[in-house]
Amino acid sequence: MSETTVSVTPTASVTVIGESATARGRRARIALRALQVVLALFYVFASAVPKLIAHPSAAEGFETMGWGSAGMYTIGLLELAGAIALLIPVLQSVAAIALSGLMVGAFVVTLTYFNGENAATPLILILPLALIAWARRDSNRRLLRLVTRRG
């Protein structure tokens, strides 16, 4: 009997948006970073700031829900923290996941307290947040290494 050896080498590669070295990958990284900046600006100026300065439009909604100013400031701080974390490389994926969770809550609240008025907005925001969370998922490994190294 004769023996045959087969050399097995991995030929398939997986390209992650955050790590591609090609020109197309570079454009994708720039577009993704631009999306993160736009979302961060939206969360800061259109969402968090009105809550943190107790703008009447935000305060009225939280009073209607019975959450008062404490709930309004808490949500505003969470949105501000998420917006800032979207711009920090090691936190960007976790921030997108956390902001998606807030948007699920916002969707439920708009259905429950406001008869679905503007309920599409949180759902629309979940889509780019999910893209960021997926594309930047390698940052979760880096974050885990940082956390476990100190613990």
Side-chain angles (χ1 to χ4, degrees):
M1 291 194 159
S2 66
E3 290 184 28
T4 306
T5 59
V6 178
S7 174
V8 179
T9 58
T11 57
S13 65
V14 177
T15 303
V16 177
I17 291 175
E19 298 177 1
S20 179
T22 65
R24 183 177 175 191
R26 185 173 187 274
R27 287 191 303 268
R29 280 194 319 275
I30 291 169
L32 189 62
R33 178 56 72 179
L35 178 62
Q36 288 174 245
V37 169
V38 167
L39 281 173
L41 290 171
F42 171 81
Y43 275 105
V44 169
F45 294 109
S47 198
V49 168
K51 292 173 183 80
L52 296 175
I53 65 169
H55 191 272
S57 63
E60 181 182 309
F62 280 90
E63 288 302 323
T64 300
M65 292 184 293
W67 293 9
S69 61
M72 181 178 60
Y73 292 132
T74 301
I75 299 295
L77 284 173
L78 289 172
E79 290 173 340
L80 180 63
I84 293 168
L86 268 179
L87 303 176
I88 300 172
V90 74
L91 298 176
Q92 55 199 356
S93 180
V94 171
I97 293 167
L99 286 170
S100 294
L102 273 176
M103 292 303 97
V104 169
F107 175 72
V108 171
V109 165
T110 57
L111 290 179
T112 306
Y113 290 100
F114 302 107
N115 299 320
E117 187 178 329
N118 300 321
T121 303
L123 292 180
I124 292 168
L125 288 170
I126 287 174
L127 295 175
L129 289 169
L131 173 67
I132 292 166
W134 178 81
R136 303 293 194 187
R137 65 191 180 276
D138 62 317
S139 68
N140 292 334
R141 266 184 254 117
R142 289 193 311 265
L143 179 61
L144 185 60
R145 278 195 303 265
L146 281 172
V147 170
T148 55
R149 189 175 358 164
R150 295 178 188 207

